[in-house]
Amino acid sequence: MTSSAARAAAGGDRTMSIGAVLAVLREEFPDVTISKIRFLEAEGLVTPDRAPSGYRRFSDRDCERLRFVLTAQRDRYLPLKVIREQLDEIDADAASGGAAPRLLSSARSAVAPATDFASRGGRVDRETLMERTGVDSPFISELVRNGLLSAGPGGFFDEDAVRLVEAAAALANFGLESRHLRAFKISADREAGLVAQIAGPIAKGKGTGARDRAEELIREMAALSVTLHTQLVKAAVRGALD
């Protein structure tokens, strides 16, 4: 991967400080921090140049890569290993003479339409939640009553809540009511406890990026947990049908 300075010289890019990059990214990713940007740099997802004084200098291309990573994490819950592989493929295509795609467009194009609203803010009220998922108010109330769904501060829901309601509505089409889904909630709580035992000490550790490392670990373990859960359910159902 070439340095920011080389890319800037070749493409007329501007360069920015890490604070300027933070200000740009926070328009779309309010929770991003300087610590998060430094963590992604340490993981090799972005390689800003260094000024003679030692300060980081980010190019527009660096910002685009950061948007790609943050979008993939937020909207698709991809672990960094997978995101890095996708970036490597994009870099390889560009190096071989192919047209370099816009990274942010590449990330968003892979996001399912039902969840793309996250790029437009990520917080929805109850009415918008119903509109986006196609369910009615009693269905939302049943999910809340059975402990499957809860609103955040101010009564707003996030993209996770939308995905949850969509999944619950799809299962309802198969005849599973919200009370039947409590078993999934109990299982998820148990899995969360196991993950927390591992990620908790890392998040409380000293050093820059400790919390970001813990969040990345949680994301990766959650993905593996979903895969394991899916395979176990499939195996159990096949066994019941035999």
Side-chain angles (χ1 to χ4, degrees):
M1 192 182 302
T2 58
S3 69
S4 297
R7 290 192 298 270
D13 251 351
R14 60 176 173 166
T15 60
M16 295 171 282
S17 67
I18 192 170
V21 172
L22 180 66
V24 170
L25 293 176
R26 274 190 169 169
E27 295 178 5
E28 186 174 353
F29 307 95
D31 296 331
V32 70
T33 62
I34 285 181
S35 174
K36 175 72 171 181
I37 296 173
R38 287 174 175 165
F39 169 71
L40 295 177
E41 178 189 357
E43 291 294 312
L45 278 301
V46 63
T47 56
D49 194 42
R50 293 276 183 165
S53 60
Y55 290 107
R56 295 170 177 84
R57 304 302 302 176
F58 292 81
S59 69
D60 287 337
R61 182 68 172 174
D62 290 326
C63 282
E64 200 172 2
R65 292 180 74 88
L66 288 169
R67 282 196 181 97
F68 181 95
V69 175
L70 294 172
T71 299
Q73 287 187 321
R74 181 194 63 191
D75 296 352
R76 300 163 63 198
Y77 288 83
L78 295 181
L80 289 186
K81 178 182 178 182
V82 176
I83 298 173
R84 185 181 293 107
E85 290 172 353
Q86 293 181 351
L87 285 171
D88 287 344
E89 290 179 3
I90 292 172
D91 289 339
D93 288 342
S96 64
R102 287 192 58 79
L103 290 173
L104 185 56
S105 299
S106 299
R108 283 178 172 165
S109 65
V111 178
T115 62
D116 190 45
F117 81 96
S119 64
R120 302 194 295 271
R123 291 206 317 163
V124 297
D125 57 20
R126 187 185 182 101
E127 288 72 22
T128 305
L129 178 62
M130 291 187 293
E131 178 184 346
R132 293 196 179 278
T133 58
V135 304
D136 56 20
S137 185
F139 188 83
I140 297 292
S141 297
E142 278 296 309
L143 292 177
V144 172
R145 185 176 301 113
N146 283 286
L148 299 166
L149 179 69
S150 61
F156 287 96
F157 298 90
D158 58 16
E159 61 266 27
D160 292 335
V162 175
R163 290 187 177 94
L164 186 150
V165 174
E166 288 174 339
L171 288 170
N173 291 332
F174 290 99
L176 292 180
E177 300 177 9
S178 60
R179 59 188 176 86
H180 297 137
L181 304 182
R182 287 182 58 84
F184 292 88
K185 179 65 166 60
I186 294 171
S187 176
D189 288 343
R190 290 173 178 169
E191 292 173 14
L194 293 174
V195 174
Q197 290 179 22
I198 298 173
I202 296 176
K204 296 175 182 177
K206 297 180 180 180
T208 302
R211 186 170 186 83
D212 293 311
R213 286 192 294 273
E215 290 179 356
E216 178 58 28
L217 175 64
I218 291 171
R219 184 177 291 105
E220 187 166 359
M221 291 188 67
L224 291 171
S225 175
V226 169
T227 300
L228 177 62
H229 181 80
T230 300
Q231 298 308 315
L232 289 173
V233 170
K234 288 170 62 177
V237 171
R238 281 196 297 264
L241 295 178
D242 289 342

